[in-house]
Amino acid sequence: MYIDIGSTSKEETEAAGVRVGDPVVPDSRFAVMANGKTYLSKAFDNRVGCAVVIDVLRHFSAAGGNPNDLYGVQTVMEEVGLRGATTSGRAVDPDVAIIIESDIAGDVPGIRKEQSSTRLGGGPALSVFDARMIPNTKLRDLVIDTAAALDIPLQLSNMPGGATDGGAIHMNKIGVPTVVVGVPSRHIHSHGSIIHRDDYDNTVKLVAALVAKLDAATVAGLTE
């Protein structure tokens, strides 16, 4: 890749203030796109997950709380070994973990449906497996049943070549029932990713409803 700044000589380039070794950073500003419901921004993977966690906590705060102890954790270094997930899992020692991700939307040119059927506007994406984790099946089914009861569209996804923080958290101590729910995003790991507002709102609604169902008996039943 080369960055064309419009100069025609080394002297013009230097006069523009560009030197060998200078970093190049894309100008990636947040924008609401043409239909008013798709948003463009850098790093939706995984800023969107952080936002969902915050809105779920706000939901329970406005509703007067929840009988469970809820921890909203924003991790670091997922891409280099799930390091933040490992240490936060030890700190919290959770009974159940819900990983909020940006899922890979495949409704773009060059991607076949069998490679990725997840699309913008199709609803939250539930991961059925990835390279480091298969979700707790009872918790997975609870997500599916909760979405159906609330008439929330739900997409099923998989990621055989990658993993999420769930890969570390589900192995904390003797094991933690874990599931991954994602907001579909086009062009993740680029400076211009795109999400759909309906997917975001439905993810918040689904996760809040799921948390509300996790009473002591339900949690105990996940590992029976």
Side-chain angles (χ1 to χ4, degrees):
M1 183 176 69
Y2 68 87
I3 307 299
D4 190 342
I5 65 168
S7 64
T8 58
S9 67
K10 179 181 179 181
E11 290 73 24
E12 283 186 25
T13 303
E14 291 176 344
V18 178
R19 300 176 299 177
V20 172
D22 283 348
V24 176
V25 180
D27 183 0
S28 305
R29 305 178 191 185
F30 175 85
V32 178
M33 303 187 79
N35 64 11
K37 285 200 170 185
T38 48
Y39 298 166
L40 171 70
S41 176
K42 69 175 182 179
F44 271 135
D45 180 21
N46 192 24
R47 288 178 174 182
V48 69
C50 296
V52 169
V53 169
I54 291 168
D55 275 341
V56 169
L57 293 175
R58 283 175 173 166
H59 164 81
F60 285 108
S61 177
N66 183 276
N68 301 319
D69 292 328
L70 302 182
Y71 292 82
V73 179
Q74 324 290 10
T75 65
V76 296
M77 301 188 186
E78 181 218 35
E79 301 288 355
V80 290
L82 313 185
R83 298 178 186 181
T86 301
T87 54
S88 62
R90 292 169 182 167
V92 174
D93 193 17
D95 297 308
V96 178
I98 304 169
I99 311 302
I100 311 300
E101 263 287 359
S102 59
D103 208 314
I104 301 171
D107 55 343
V108 294
I111 302 297
R112 300 189 303 274
K113 189 172 182 178
E114 60 267 26
Q115 292 177 299
S116 174
S117 60
T118 308
R119 61 182 180 84
L120 291 192
L126 171 65
S127 175
V128 296
F129 81 93
D130 63 42
R132 291 193 56 172
M133 192 192 83
I134 297 173
N136 174 280
T137 54
K138 291 182 179 179
L139 183 57
R140 176 204 65 195
D141 290 346
L142 185 60
V143 174
I144 294 171
D145 293 344
T146 301
L150 295 174
D151 200 25
I152 295 174
L154 186 67
Q155 306 183 79
L156 302 181
S157 70
N158 64 81
M159 188 168 54
T164 74
D165 283 342
I169 295 174
H170 87 290
M171 295 191 296
N172 187 64
K173 291 190 174 180
I174 62 171
V176 179
T178 302
V179 72
V180 180
V181 178
V183 179
S185 175
R186 290 176 180 167
H187 320 302
I188 69 167
H189 295 185
S190 78
H191 63 275
S193 50
I194 300 173
I195 66 167
H196 196 288
R197 181 67 198 223
D198 289 349
D199 295 334
Y200 177 86
D201 290 339
N202 278 322
T203 301
V204 173
K205 184 179 178 181
L206 176 60
V207 173
L210 180 63
V211 170
K213 288 187 175 183
L214 293 174
D215 56 25
T218 301
V219 172
L222 297 175
T223 53
E224 286 179 350

